[in-house]
Amino acid sequence: MNSFFDLSVEEMKSYGYKIVDLIVSHYDEVENKKPVSSATRLEMDAVFLQEAPEKGMDADKVLDFVMENVMPNSNISSHPKAFSFVPGPSNFISTMADSLATGFNIFSGGWIVSPAAAELEIVTLNWLLKMFDFPVAKGGGIFTSGGSMANLTALVTARKVKCGDDFSDAVIYLSDQAHSSNIKAIRVLGFKKEQVKIIPTDIEFKFSINKLKNEIAKDKLEGKKPFCIIASAGTTNTGTVDPLDTLADICEKENLWFHIDGAYGGAAILSKKGSKILRGIERADSLTVDPHKWFFQPYEIGCLLVKDASWLSNTFSEKPEYLRDIEGNESEINFYDYGIQLTRRFRALKFYMSIKTYGLETFKKAITYNIDLADQTEDLLRASKNWEIVSPATLAIINFRYNPLGLNLTEKEIDTLNQEISARVVASKEALLVTTVLQNQIVIRMCLINPKTTLDHIKDTLNQCDAFAIEVLSEWKK
């Protein structure tokens, strides 16, 4: 008797091959597509909004509908002209690995359910521990959905280790450039507003050390309990890395937990330039890295690393009756004891297969290429009379604004002009290039972590920006 959902072998092969062909075609033709998509809720409702059908329809027709309406209405984060936010370049081997993990429907929560999945997570986490000079024998970690969940897991652990059950007087410190996921995590954990100290950054967008020390001293005098500092190793806005060694010294002196959010920039440890900038990252108690960013993995895979794996198990381990037969021994890790999720997909497989297939050397070359490309872009902008660097190239991120010599535009006019340049580039769908705000200035931000991006792609986009700027300035004169 066939299951309700069974297809014949021939039907599965035909359908599967069609999907593989579509994915391969996308990889092959991605540069010829436009990276930007836009649609209103009304437009999307008109295409998709309908009741769940009682009767099914031909699988190929459903697939065709999806290819005609879903994929074209999604931005292509792997496009070489997707410069905004943090692009997702991905790689084909990891994409197929995800298909394997999903196709075999492997549960990656406990050892007894899939010892191979747990072992591969241990192995790949050990690779990462070694990259960041964390202790492999004592240290540990867990793969998460992304940086947000990794940061939340880190802060739950830090609170447990440093505060126990009473965190009513605990204080946590982070800079005004820290990623918003940290604030969200702090809010989820139930800290009051006065327990969160956001420290201003200096002119280079780094933690202001003097202001941080002042806040810690003040809080101690008021009877509060400083317990954690969150540093950034590659901020989303500028790629800036906080003074990690100095912050580590403060944490050691004051007995504070040192968490580093390296979700964006951590992977730069594989390049010579990056490893110099990230000096001190090995001194963290906990470290977030995001393989689905600069380790070129498809969504979703984030990661938390800790100096002592027992911190995670002591924080998250629960022993319900229905799991009593599957505990195993201490070496056979149940990753549901290391984080929030019980049900977990097999995230380690794509990281494992891509590292094994391409080798670390390829990843090192790709990351180094990205950093050098951002440096070349900075040189290009500095050679122009039209562009002004606001934050120089740092870990493949650069911020600049259109401010031509001799025009003497007001700050308000410059802000309006750059916002309009960005809006028109995005509206053209030729590139995804949006703004951010630095030092109260609207600036254009480029994140250049896609190995497919070339200097010609950047020149094309800057030429387009120049043309739109002239167009806007001409309109203003009318």
Side-chain angles (χ1 to χ4, degrees), residues 41-314:
R41 175 64 185 271
L42 284 175
E43 289 170 335
M44 290 293 92
D45 280 352
V47 175
F48 297 109
L49 191 60
Q50 54 189 261
E51 297 298 324
E54 284 294 331
K55 300 291 185 181
M57 62 186 291
D58 182 76
D60 284 337
K61 288 184 179 179
V62 176
L63 178 58
D64 290 343
F65 177 83
V66 166
M67 292 305 301
E68 289 169 12
N69 296 286
V70 176
M71 302 311 172
N73 284 300
S74 303
N75 282 359
I76 304 175
S77 65
S78 56
H79 194 282
K81 286 189 177 181
F83 301 118
S84 297
F85 315 115
V86 179
S90 189
N91 73 83
F92 186 75
I93 296 296
S94 291
T95 300
M96 293 296 101
D98 250 356
S99 300
L100 275 175
T102 302
F104 281 80
N105 202 25
I106 294 175
F107 178 91
S108 190
W111 181 277
I112 198 170
V113 183
S114 178
E119 178 67 15
L120 284 193
E121 188 154 355
I122 293 168
V123 168
T124 48
L125 286 167
N126 284 347
W127 291 349
L128 287 164
L129 288 167
K130 287 179 181 177
M131 283 181 205
F132 293 99
D133 200 20
F134 273 40
V136 174
K138 190 176 183 180
I142 186 169
F143 286 127
T144 63
S145 58
S148 295
M149 188 56 71
N151 285 331
L152 176 60
T153 306
L155 296 182
V156 175
T157 307
R159 187 181 68 179
K160 174 71 173 178
V161 173
K162 290 295 184 182
C163 306
D165 294 328
D166 182 8
F167 58 95
S168 56
D169 294 323
V171 185
I172 190 166
Y173 306 86
L174 65 164
S175 85
D176 59 22
Q177 292 297 303
H179 193 269
S180 60
S181 64
N182 292 289
I183 294 294
K184 188 181 290 187
I186 291 166
R187 190 178 300 138
V188 167
L189 291 176
F191 287 98
K192 295 173 286 188
K193 188 176 181 180
E194 57 268 25
Q195 292 179 273
V196 184
K197 298 297 176 72
I198 299 177
I199 308 299
T201 47
D202 59 23
I203 196 169
E204 294 182 329
F205 308 103
K206 297 180 180 181
F207 236 119
S208 175
I209 297 300
N210 184 57
K211 291 175 182 176
L212 172 64
K213 288 181 175 180
N214 286 345
E215 282 296 321
I216 293 173
K218 175 185 168 186
D219 289 334
K220 289 171 67 178
L221 289 169
E222 291 178 350
K224 298 175 183 176
K225 183 182 178 181
F227 87 99
C228 179
I229 291 175
I230 302 174
S232 299
T235 62
T236 303
N237 257 351
T238 62
T240 299
V241 177
D242 284 323
L244 302 181
D245 268 325
T246 304
L247 291 170
D249 289 341
I250 294 171
C251 287
E252 288 180 6
K253 180 181 178 182
E254 301 290 349
N255 191 27
L256 308 181
W257 184 279
F258 189 26
H259 175 60
I260 297 179
D261 182 357
Y264 171 71
I269 198 78
L270 292 180
S271 75
K272 288 183 180 179
K273 287 182 181 178
S275 62
K276 289 179 182 178
I277 297 171
L278 293 171
R279 189 175 289 117
I281 199 168
E282 72 283 352
R283 298 177 67 186
D285 294 301
S286 56
L287 169 65
T288 289
V289 292
D290 247 7
H292 65 212
K293 291 186 173 73
W294 215 352
F295 278 110
F296 313 110
Q297 302 300 308
Y299 307 120
E300 310 169 337
I301 177 172
C303 179
L304 174 66
L305 303 175
V306 293
K307 285 283 180 63
D308 187 336
S310 69
W311 293 337
L312 294 177
S313 58
N314 291 340

Side-chain angles (χ1 to χ4, degrees), residues 359-370:
L360 274 180
E361 182 182 30
T362 301
F363 285 81
K364 291 176 180 178
K365 286 179 178 178
I367 291 167
T368 299
Y369 170 80
N370 295 145

